[in-house]
Amino acid sequence: MELLTLGVLASGRGSNLQYIIDACERGAINAAVKVVISDKENAYALERAKKHGIANYFVDLKSFPDKESYEQRIVKLLKDHKVQLVCLAGYMRLVGPTMLNQFPMRIMNIHPALLPSFAGLHAQRQALEYGVKISGCTVHFVDEGMDTGPIILQAQVPVLDDDTEETLSKRILEQEHIIYPKAVGLFAQGRLRVEGRRVVVK
Ligand code: GRF
């Protein structure tokens, strides 16, 4: 079976990117990361791409007249690398219609909470402040909303009495590193079917 070609967008350290690259390289998933794009020049995610010989680009929103032309540039890079599935991995921007229209139900994101709880920024802090006993992470398809698209996989972790934002984030991140490559692998096998809000795993 042909490899699914991936493009990853990341703004920061890129640990989820690393787990996806590793899963591809050891053949655990039938995919290959072809391009990594960051909106932050110093994102460590770009270094990770370099280390693996993966094309990598910094695209600076500030050098474009508007978000649409910024996203057109990103779409061009993704298409140039024949990307079939886009993975957001710590990409700290809302995806606009320019990208969404080019990759309908072909953009995934990982969020560090059990959606629909605690969407948006600082999800782990939100969970602690709310006082939930269980939190976790969610892989979902991206739509026009903030962390609102159809849910593909979730994993839960306990919230402990002495947790800080750091300790809870670390526990959640371990699960992120498991379920994100898994979701990409399911997509690569053609096993995800979106039925309205529900994603059925065949
Ligand atoms: C993760 O917690 C992810 O859920 C969130 O941003 C963080 C990115 O971490 N969207 P990393 O850059 O993959 O290490």
Short mmCIF file of all heavy atoms in Angstrom, two decimals, residues 10-19 45 48 88-92 109-113 120 123-124 136-138 147 169 172-173 176-177 180, ligand 1:
data_model
loop_
_atom_site.label_atom_id
_atom_site.label_comp_id
_atom_site.label_asym_id
_atom_site.label_seq_id
_atom_site.Cartn_x
_atom_site.Cartn_y
_atom_site.Cartn_z
N ALA A 10 3.60 23.19 13.09
CA ALA A 10 3.93 23.24 14.51
C ALA A 10 4.51 24.61 14.86
O ALA A 10 5.23 25.20 14.04
CB ALA A 10 4.96 22.16 14.84
N SER A 11 4.19 25.09 16.04
CA SER A 11 4.70 26.40 16.48
C SER A 11 5.80 26.28 17.51
O SER A 11 6.42 27.28 17.86
CB SER A 11 3.57 27.25 17.06
OG SER A 11 2.53 27.42 16.14
N GLY A 12 6.02 25.07 18.06
CA GLY A 12 6.91 25.00 19.21
C GLY A 12 7.87 23.83 19.20
O GLY A 12 8.48 23.50 18.19
N ARG A 13 7.92 23.14 20.36
CA ARG A 13 8.98 22.14 20.55
C ARG A 13 8.80 20.90 19.67
O ARG A 13 9.76 20.21 19.37
CB ARG A 13 9.03 21.72 22.03
CG ARG A 13 7.80 20.98 22.44
CD ARG A 13 7.67 20.70 23.90
NE ARG A 13 6.28 20.30 24.09
CZ ARG A 13 5.69 20.09 25.22
NH1 ARG A 13 6.36 20.24 26.34
NH2 ARG A 13 4.43 19.74 25.27
N GLY A 14 7.56 20.57 19.31
CA GLY A 14 7.35 19.51 18.33
C GLY A 14 7.52 18.09 18.85
O GLY A 14 7.92 17.20 18.09
N SER A 15 7.17 17.84 20.10
CA SER A 15 7.33 16.46 20.57
C SER A 15 6.31 15.53 19.89
O SER A 15 6.62 14.38 19.58
CB SER A 15 7.23 16.37 22.10
OG SER A 15 5.92 16.59 22.55
N ASN A 16 5.11 16.03 19.63
CA ASN A 16 4.14 15.20 18.90
C ASN A 16 4.63 14.93 17.48
O ASN A 16 4.49 13.81 16.97
CB ASN A 16 2.77 15.87 18.88
CG ASN A 16 1.99 15.63 20.17
OD1 ASN A 16 1.53 14.52 20.41
ND2 ASN A 16 1.90 16.66 21.01
N LEU A 17 5.21 15.94 16.85
CA LEU A 17 5.82 15.74 15.53
C LEU A 17 6.83 14.61 15.60
O LEU A 17 6.85 13.72 14.74
CB LEU A 17 6.52 17.04 15.09
CG LEU A 17 7.54 16.90 13.96
CD1 LEU A 17 6.85 16.54 12.65
CD2 LEU A 17 8.36 18.18 13.79
N GLN A 18 7.68 14.63 16.65
CA GLN A 18 8.73 13.61 16.78
C GLN A 18 8.13 12.21 16.85
O GLN A 18 8.63 11.27 16.20
CB GLN A 18 9.57 13.88 18.03
CG GLN A 18 10.78 12.98 18.14
CD GLN A 18 11.80 13.30 17.06
OE1 GLN A 18 12.24 14.43 16.93
NE2 GLN A 18 12.17 12.30 16.26
N TYR A 19 7.06 12.06 17.62
CA TYR A 19 6.45 10.73 17.75
C TYR A 19 5.83 10.28 16.43
O TYR A 19 5.84 9.08 16.11
CB TYR A 19 5.43 10.71 18.90
CG TYR A 19 6.12 10.39 20.21
CD1 TYR A 19 6.83 11.37 20.89
CD2 TYR A 19 6.12 9.11 20.74
CE1 TYR A 19 7.51 11.09 22.07
CE2 TYR A 19 6.79 8.80 21.92
CZ TYR A 19 7.48 9.80 22.58
OH TYR A 19 8.14 9.50 23.73
N ALA A 45 10.60 22.36 16.45
CA ALA A 45 10.02 21.43 15.46
C ALA A 45 10.79 21.49 14.14
O ALA A 45 10.99 20.46 13.48
CB ALA A 45 8.55 21.77 15.23
N ARG A 48 13.92 19.43 14.45
CA ARG A 48 13.60 17.99 14.39
C ARG A 48 13.46 17.55 12.94
O ARG A 48 13.96 16.48 12.55
CB ARG A 48 12.30 17.71 15.15
CG ARG A 48 12.39 17.94 16.65
CD ARG A 48 11.06 17.53 17.28
NE ARG A 48 10.90 17.96 18.64
CZ ARG A 48 11.27 17.27 19.72
NH1 ARG A 48 11.84 16.09 19.59
NH2 ARG A 48 11.05 17.75 20.94
N LEU A 88 -1.78 19.15 12.65
CA LEU A 88 -1.40 20.28 13.49
C LEU A 88 -0.84 19.69 14.78
O LEU A 88 -1.46 18.85 15.42
CB LEU A 88 -2.62 21.16 13.82
CG LEU A 88 -3.49 21.61 12.64
CD1 LEU A 88 -4.58 22.56 13.14
CD2 LEU A 88 -2.65 22.27 11.55
N ALA A 89 0.37 20.13 15.12
CA ALA A 89 1.01 19.58 16.32
C ALA A 89 1.57 20.75 17.12
O ALA A 89 2.70 21.17 16.91
CB ALA A 89 2.11 18.60 15.92
N GLY A 90 0.70 21.31 17.96
CA GLY A 90 1.12 22.50 18.70
C GLY A 90 1.21 23.70 17.78
O GLY A 90 2.05 24.57 17.94
N TYR A 91 0.30 23.76 16.80
CA TYR A 91 0.22 24.93 15.90
C TYR A 91 -0.75 25.91 16.54
O TYR A 91 -1.94 25.59 16.72
CB TYR A 91 -0.27 24.48 14.52
CG TYR A 91 -0.46 25.60 13.52
CD1 TYR A 91 0.64 26.34 13.07
CD2 TYR A 91 -1.71 25.92 13.02
CE1 TYR A 91 0.47 27.36 12.13
CE2 TYR A 91 -1.89 26.93 12.09
CZ TYR A 91 -0.79 27.64 11.65
OH TYR A 91 -0.96 28.65 10.73
N MET A 92 -0.23 27.07 16.92
CA MET A 92 -0.99 27.95 17.80
C MET A 92 -1.85 28.98 17.06
O MET A 92 -1.99 30.12 17.53
CB MET A 92 -0.02 28.66 18.76
CG MET A 92 0.82 27.71 19.61
SD MET A 92 -0.18 26.54 20.54
CE MET A 92 -0.76 27.63 21.83
N ASN A 109 -5.86 17.59 14.51
CA ASN A 109 -5.23 18.35 15.59
C ASN A 109 -5.23 17.50 16.85
O ASN A 109 -6.07 16.61 17.01
CB ASN A 109 -6.02 19.64 15.84
CG ASN A 109 -5.40 20.50 16.93
OD1 ASN A 109 -4.18 20.68 16.98
ND2 ASN A 109 -6.22 21.02 17.82
N ILE A 110 -4.26 17.79 17.72
CA ILE A 110 -4.26 17.15 19.04
C ILE A 110 -4.47 18.25 20.08
O ILE A 110 -3.86 19.31 20.01
CB ILE A 110 -2.93 16.39 19.30
CG1 ILE A 110 -2.89 15.76 20.70
CG2 ILE A 110 -1.71 17.28 19.13
CD1 ILE A 110 -3.25 14.34 20.75
N HIS A 111 -5.39 17.96 21.01
CA HIS A 111 -5.71 18.96 22.05
C HIS A 111 -5.54 18.31 23.43
O HIS A 111 -6.02 17.18 23.64
CB HIS A 111 -7.14 19.45 21.86
CG HIS A 111 -7.51 20.51 22.85
ND1 HIS A 111 -7.03 21.80 22.76
CD2 HIS A 111 -8.26 20.45 23.98
CE1 HIS A 111 -7.49 22.50 23.79
NE2 HIS A 111 -8.23 21.71 24.54
N PRO A 112 -4.91 19.01 24.37
CA PRO A 112 -4.61 18.39 25.67
C PRO A 112 -5.74 18.46 26.69
O PRO A 112 -5.55 18.89 27.82
CB PRO A 112 -3.37 19.16 26.14
CG PRO A 112 -3.54 20.51 25.55
CD PRO A 112 -4.25 20.32 24.24
N ALA A 113 -6.93 18.04 26.28
CA ALA A 113 -8.08 17.92 27.18
C ALA A 113 -9.09 17.00 26.51
O ALA A 113 -8.96 16.69 25.32
CB ALA A 113 -8.72 19.28 27.46
N GLY A 120 -9.44 25.59 23.54
CA GLY A 120 -8.64 26.82 23.56
C GLY A 120 -7.34 26.68 24.31
O GLY A 120 -6.85 25.58 24.53
N ALA A 123 -5.37 24.43 28.27
CA ALA A 123 -6.40 23.43 28.58
C ALA A 123 -6.12 22.72 29.90
O ALA A 123 -7.04 22.46 30.68
CB ALA A 123 -6.47 22.42 27.45
N GLN A 124 -4.85 22.42 30.16
CA GLN A 124 -4.51 21.69 31.39
C GLN A 124 -4.80 22.57 32.61
O GLN A 124 -5.31 22.10 33.62
CB GLN A 124 -3.04 21.26 31.38
CG GLN A 124 -2.65 20.40 30.19
CD GLN A 124 -2.07 21.20 29.03
OE1 GLN A 124 -2.41 22.36 28.83
NE2 GLN A 124 -1.19 20.57 28.26
N GLY A 136 -7.41 14.47 29.92
CA GLY A 136 -6.82 13.63 28.88
C GLY A 136 -6.52 14.42 27.64
O GLY A 136 -6.21 15.61 27.70
N CYS A 137 -6.62 13.74 26.50
CA CYS A 137 -6.33 14.41 25.24
C CYS A 137 -7.24 13.89 24.14
O CYS A 137 -7.83 12.81 24.28
CB CYS A 137 -4.86 14.25 24.86
SG CYS A 137 -4.27 12.56 24.96
N THR A 138 -7.32 14.66 23.09
CA THR A 138 -8.25 14.38 22.00
C THR A 138 -7.57 14.62 20.66
O THR A 138 -6.97 15.68 20.46
CB THR A 138 -9.47 15.35 22.08
OG1 THR A 138 -10.09 15.23 23.36
CG2 THR A 138 -10.49 15.05 20.99
N ASP A 147 -11.13 23.98 18.18
CA ASP A 147 -11.15 22.64 18.80
C ASP A 147 -12.54 22.01 18.79
O ASP A 147 -12.93 21.32 19.74
CB ASP A 147 -10.62 22.72 20.25
CG ASP A 147 -9.23 23.33 20.33
OD1 ASP A 147 -8.40 23.02 19.45
OD2 ASP A 147 -8.96 24.09 21.27
N SER A 169 0.25 18.23 32.69
CA SER A 169 0.59 18.34 31.26
C SER A 169 1.47 17.18 30.83
O SER A 169 1.30 16.62 29.74
CB SER A 169 1.34 19.65 30.99
OG SER A 169 0.53 20.74 31.31
N ILE A 172 -0.55 14.00 30.52
CA ILE A 172 -1.38 14.05 29.31
C ILE A 172 -0.52 13.87 28.06
O ILE A 172 -0.89 13.12 27.13
CB ILE A 172 -2.17 15.38 29.24
CG1 ILE A 172 -3.22 15.42 30.36
CG2 ILE A 172 -2.83 15.56 27.86
CD1 ILE A 172 -3.94 16.77 30.50
N LEU A 173 0.64 14.51 28.06
CA LEU A 173 1.52 14.45 26.87
C LEU A 173 1.92 13.01 26.54
O LEU A 173 2.00 12.64 25.36
CB LEU A 173 2.77 15.32 27.10
CG LEU A 173 3.63 15.61 25.87
CD1 LEU A 173 2.85 16.41 24.81
CD2 LEU A 173 4.90 16.37 26.26
N GLU A 176 -0.78 11.78 24.54
CA GLU A 176 -0.81 12.42 23.21
C GLU A 176 0.12 11.68 22.26
O GLU A 176 -0.21 11.43 21.09
CB GLU A 176 -0.34 13.88 23.31
CG GLU A 176 -1.26 14.77 24.11
CD GLU A 176 -0.79 16.23 24.11
OE1 GLU A 176 -0.24 16.69 23.10
OE2 GLU A 176 -0.98 16.90 25.14
N HIS A 177 1.30 11.32 22.80
CA HIS A 177 2.32 10.68 21.96
C HIS A 177 1.89 9.29 21.50
O HIS A 177 2.45 8.75 20.54
CB HIS A 177 3.64 10.59 22.75
CG HIS A 177 4.23 11.94 23.02
ND1 HIS A 177 5.14 12.17 24.02
CD2 HIS A 177 4.02 13.14 22.42
CE1 HIS A 177 5.48 13.46 24.02
NE2 HIS A 177 4.82 14.06 23.07
N TYR A 180 -1.86 10.21 18.93
CA TYR A 180 -1.76 10.97 17.67
C TYR A 180 -1.22 10.07 16.55
O TYR A 180 -1.85 9.97 15.48
CB TYR A 180 -0.93 12.25 17.86
CG TYR A 180 -1.31 13.37 16.90
CD1 TYR A 180 -0.75 14.64 17.01
CD2 TYR A 180 -2.25 13.17 15.89
CE1 TYR A 180 -1.09 15.67 16.15
CE2 TYR A 180 -2.60 14.20 15.02
CZ TYR A 180 -2.01 15.44 15.16
OH TYR A 180 -2.37 16.48 14.31
C1 GRF B 1 0.51 19.66 23.06
O1 GRF B 1 0.14 19.66 24.40
C2 GRF B 1 -0.70 19.66 22.17
O2 GRF B 1 -1.77 18.95 22.72
C3 GRF B 1 -1.04 21.11 22.08
O3 GRF B 1 0.19 21.78 22.03
C4 GRF B 1 1.18 20.96 22.66
C5 GRF B 1 2.25 20.76 21.64
O4 GRF B 1 3.36 20.07 22.18
N1 GRF B 1 -1.89 21.36 20.94
P1 GRF B 1 4.53 19.60 21.22
O5 GRF B 1 5.00 20.85 20.47
O6 GRF B 1 3.98 18.58 20.29
O7 GRF B 1 5.59 19.08 22.12
#
